[in-house]
Amino acid sequence: MTSSTTGQSDDTNRSVLLVGWDGAPHTLVEELIEDGELPTLAGIADDGYFGPLHTVPYIMSSCAWSTFLTGKNAGKHGVYDFYANDFREGTYFREPINATDRDGEELGEILTRNDRSIGQINVPVTYPAAKVDEFEVTGMLTPSVDSDGFCHPSDFLDDFEEIDRYRIDLDEGKDAEKDEFVAEMKDVVDARMELVLYSLERSADVDVYFAVFVAPDRLSHYYWHFHNQSHPFTGNESEEDLEQFSDVLVDLFVNLDDKLAQIIDKFERVNGTEPLVSVVSDHGMRSLERILHVNKWLSEEGYLTFREGEREAVDEDIEEMLDDRVEYIFGKVDWEQTEAYAMGKRGAIYVNEEGREPEGSVPSEERENVIKRLTADLAEIRDPDTGENIVEAVHTRKELFEGPYVDKAPDVLLSLSEGYYPFGYAFELEKDNIISTNDWEGMPFVTGIEDGPGILGIAGPGVDDTASELDLGLADITPTILHYLGLPVPEDMDGRVAHELFSDELSEDVTYERAVEQARADDSEREADSVKDRLEDLGYL
């Protein structure tokens, strides 16, 4: 693509091409650019800008992509996790979410309301498809390609000959044979590319085209130790496998870079315009080497009481929803004697509050006192093996989020030192350790985990190629795109327009508009079991 530092005079002729690489970490991608491995992305960096893109405080792809789409923090859009805060049938089990659990307008709906069009492929947490102009094919958390709401319009894929090969996501994770997993990943990427090319043929005059490839995230979760071979889990791998798969992550980015070039070329030929091209990721990755068992720590400190003897019976329907490789807290906790507990793979901590939790024990008026004690005690956690304090920060939800849905957030979130991660399960209760090394042969955990900034590469008409590293986050992209297209920015967005990216003409004052109330109708198929199975296979349960 060519460089340009003079904005187009007619914003109705501007177009935007967005490509998402879910989970692409800034440091690694930057190194690959410098090594000459990613010539397409390097061209974008040379002609425009490349730098880190800050992720959300509660680093889940569901929360991150929701912030990207809405330009709002989770306190306003209400999505924090892959699971809602609605407890199933009076238990502590939370239901999987979909896009109807998100509040507020997203990018496609704003464009459609302003008589602009969008084509959207495989963006996470978009099921059921919004009725946008021009089309949407939904991504992660879609039950199946046969589900009502998989695409809009409903007949959009009728002529797509590769639909039988197409995958919404990778169907296996930690338990797959390595060769099979890598082969399936490549097949998923290739099938996604076939859909991208098909949809581009049908979007000759689309204003915004947005496609996401999730493979970097999935591969990084389970193969990060092949990339970082100082990871303790490598002791479970053969020398042959360590050599064979050492470059599998790099090879994926090389493949995606090649496909990026094809997408840009196809868009320009079909659309007839030179687009603003942006490559983004929702978060980065880092090694998961040491696991803090938050619930065991809570038990040791007197905040949580585990039941004595056998586990209490769990509802059969819920039992079927659980991953039998993972030790959960369900049926193991004496809730009457518990002030706080942790849930999920990020060790999010909740006060066991009366009236909110199914068996809450903490009066509402005591909630803040429990949080105050918790934050002070958490800040002092040390690794018993080294004596080092491993807590970088302890945050309450009010410190991280603001808006009408702050009460859906975890009460307390932890940030730990490099290599450490807090988990909210109930492993090894018979042992007195609060920290485990992530070298278990059965690997109920991932070896790479979401953390740190993603990437932002952007170039095209009006982009100033002299911009140095900018302080930009996920919430800033949608308002920036709206401004680039000459559209007003809803006044309730938290993100800002990144004026620094553009030449003088595109750095003019932003026009704002009153926020529009938008609640997507829930006409989806709530196929919780199939969604849960895919989340389980990918390590999100």
Side-chain angles (χ1 to χ4, degrees), residues 259-466:
K259 286 178 167 51
L260 175 62
Q262 297 176 51
I263 293 170
I264 295 171
D265 179 69
K266 183 77 168 182
F267 183 93
E268 292 182 344
R269 286 190 289 109
V270 171
N271 192 276
T273 64
E274 182 189 357
L276 177 77
V277 177
S278 183
V279 183
V280 298
S281 64
D282 55 331
H283 55 73
M285 284 281 173
R286 77 175 185 184
S287 284
L288 169 57
E289 300 176 11
R290 299 275 280 168
I291 296 157
L292 171 66
H293 300 290
V294 179
N295 284 312
K296 290 178 70 173
W297 178 87
L298 289 169
S299 177
E300 286 191 5
E301 297 298 318
Y303 290 98
L304 180 148
T305 301
F306 286 111
R307 294 173 55 86
E308 295 184 1
E310 295 294 319
R311 187 184 75 160
E312 184 181 33
V314 177
D315 185 274
E316 184 176 343
D317 289 341
I318 295 174
E319 194 76 61
E320 292 177 356
M321 296 279 282
L322 302 180
D323 183 347
D324 58 12
R325 298 159 297 189
V326 177
E327 296 291 337
Y328 299 93
I329 65 172
F330 305 118
K332 297 181 179 180
V333 175
D334 182 347
W335 294 110
E336 290 185 0
Q337 304 299 318
T338 293
E339 291 184 301
Y341 63 98
M343 293 287 281
K345 74 169 193 174
R346 302 203 73 84
I349 300 174
Y350 298 83
V351 173
N352 191 33
E353 184 178 352
E354 286 181 357
R356 185 183 72 172
E357 266 64 16
E359 299 180 54
S361 64
V362 177
S364 297
E365 61 270 20
E366 289 297 317
R367 178 179 167 279
E368 293 300 326
N369 288 333
V370 172
I371 291 174
K372 185 176 181 180
R373 286 191 285 114
L374 257 176
T375 54
D377 291 341
L378 287 165
E380 299 301 319
I381 295 178
R382 295 179 179 274
D383 185 332
D385 293 339
T386 66
E388 295 293 324
N389 186 301
I390 63 170
V391 179
E392 292 184 344
V394 183
H395 291 291
T396 66
R397 63 189 186 186
K398 290 181 180 178
E399 294 172 339
L400 299 175
F401 310 104
E402 63 92 13
Y405 300 112
V406 170
D407 60 352
K408 289 188 174 184
D411 291 302
V412 178
L413 288 170
L414 278 175
S415 177
L416 302 183
S417 302
E418 182 75 22
Y420 291 84
Y421 225 74
F423 270 32
Y425 299 110
F427 284 94
E428 298 186 323
L429 296 186
E430 72 283 0
K431 298 181 180 180
D432 61 4
N433 62 321
I434 61 166
I435 292 175
S436 293
T437 299
N438 188 15
D439 59 0
W440 300 9
E441 187 173 2
M443 196 171 73
F445 309 124
V446 296
T447 60
I449 198 157
E450 304 93 336
D451 198 59
I455 62 171
L456 172 63
I458 188 165
V463 175
D464 184 351
D465 62 4
T466 65

Side-chain angles (χ1 to χ4, degrees), residues 20-122:
W21 291 355
D22 192 302
H26 173 256
T27 300
L28 173 59
V29 173
E30 186 175 52
E31 289 174 357
L32 294 178
I33 290 174
E34 292 173 352
D35 291 343
E37 299 279 5
L38 308 179
T40 310
L41 193 52
I44 290 172
D46 289 342
D47 292 344
Y49 172 80
F50 178 83
L53 187 65
H54 300 306
T55 189
V56 289
Y58 189 35
I59 312 177
M60 290 283 192
S61 286
S62 53
C63 179
W65 285 115
S66 292
T67 289
F68 180 97
L69 289 168
T70 63
K72 300 175 183 178
N73 85 95
K76 291 181 180 177
H77 62 65
V79 172
Y80 294 93
D81 206 328
F82 291 102
Y83 297 87
N85 271 14
D86 300 322
F87 298 104
R88 173 180 280 204
E89 301 169 358
T91 74
Y92 282 75
F93 184 82
R94 293 169 162 88
E95 301 285 1
I97 65 164
N98 67 27
T100 65
D101 294 289
R102 182 171 57 238
D103 195 22
E105 284 188 305
E106 61 186 58
L107 175 61
E109 292 165 328
I110 297 170
L111 292 170
T112 299
R113 175 168 56 78
N114 284 280
D115 298 321
R116 302 294 180 91
S117 57
I118 187 171
Q120 196 157 274
I121 300 292
N122 201 53

Side-chain angles (χ1 to χ4, degrees), residues 138-313:
T138 60
M140 186 182 188
L141 299 186
T142 304
S144 76
V145 297
D146 298 318
S147 299
D148 291 339
F150 170 52
C151 64
H152 170 79
S154 59
D155 62 353
F156 180 71
L157 298 179
D158 285 358
D159 297 326
F160 181 46
E161 296 178 355
E162 299 290 329
I163 189 62
D164 291 338
R165 181 186 172 203
Y166 184 78
R167 300 286 186 275
I168 294 167
D169 213 323
L170 288 165
D171 293 328
E172 292 187 0
K174 61 175 76 72
D175 292 333
E177 293 293 330
K178 296 180 181 66
D179 287 327
E180 293 176 4
F181 180 80
V182 172
E184 184 189 5
M185 177 202 68
K186 291 178 179 177
D187 192 58
V188 167
V189 171
D190 289 344
R192 179 89 70 250
M193 187 64 179
E194 291 297 325
L195 177 56
V196 167
L197 296 175
Y198 168 87
S199 62
L200 282 169
E201 285 286 352
R202 301 190 59 178
S203 56
D205 59 352
V206 73
D207 295 299
V208 176
Y209 184 88
F210 186 14
V212 174
F213 292 83
V214 298
D217 178 275
R218 309 307 186 252
L219 188 63
S220 294
H221 279 316
Y222 300 109
Y223 285 66
W224 193 260
H225 61 292
F226 289 108
H227 170 68
N228 172 22
Q229 296 201 1
S230 65
H231 194 289
F233 193 80
T234 56
N236 297 295
E237 307 289 3
S238 68
E239 290 297 325
E240 293 79 7
D241 282 349
L242 289 172
E243 181 177 355
Q244 178 180 350
F245 297 103
S246 61
D247 291 328
V248 67
L249 186 58
V250 173
D251 292 342
L252 171 61
F253 282 114
V254 170
N255 184 15
L256 290 176
D257 188 79
D258 179 67
K259 286 178 167 51
L260 175 62
Q262 297 176 51
I263 293 170
I264 295 171
D265 179 69
K266 183 77 168 182
F267 183 93
E268 292 182 344
R269 286 190 289 109
V270 171
N271 192 276
T273 64
E274 182 189 357
L276 177 77
V277 177
S278 183
V279 183
V280 298
S281 64
D282 55 331
H283 55 73
M285 284 281 173
R286 77 175 185 184
S287 284
L288 169 57
E289 300 176 11
R290 299 275 280 168
I291 296 157
L292 171 66
H293 300 290
V294 179
N295 284 312
K296 290 178 70 173
W297 178 87
L298 289 169
S299 177
E300 286 191 5
E301 297 298 318
Y303 290 98
L304 180 148
T305 301
F306 286 111
R307 294 173 55 86
E308 295 184 1
E310 295 294 319
R311 187 184 75 160
E312 184 181 33

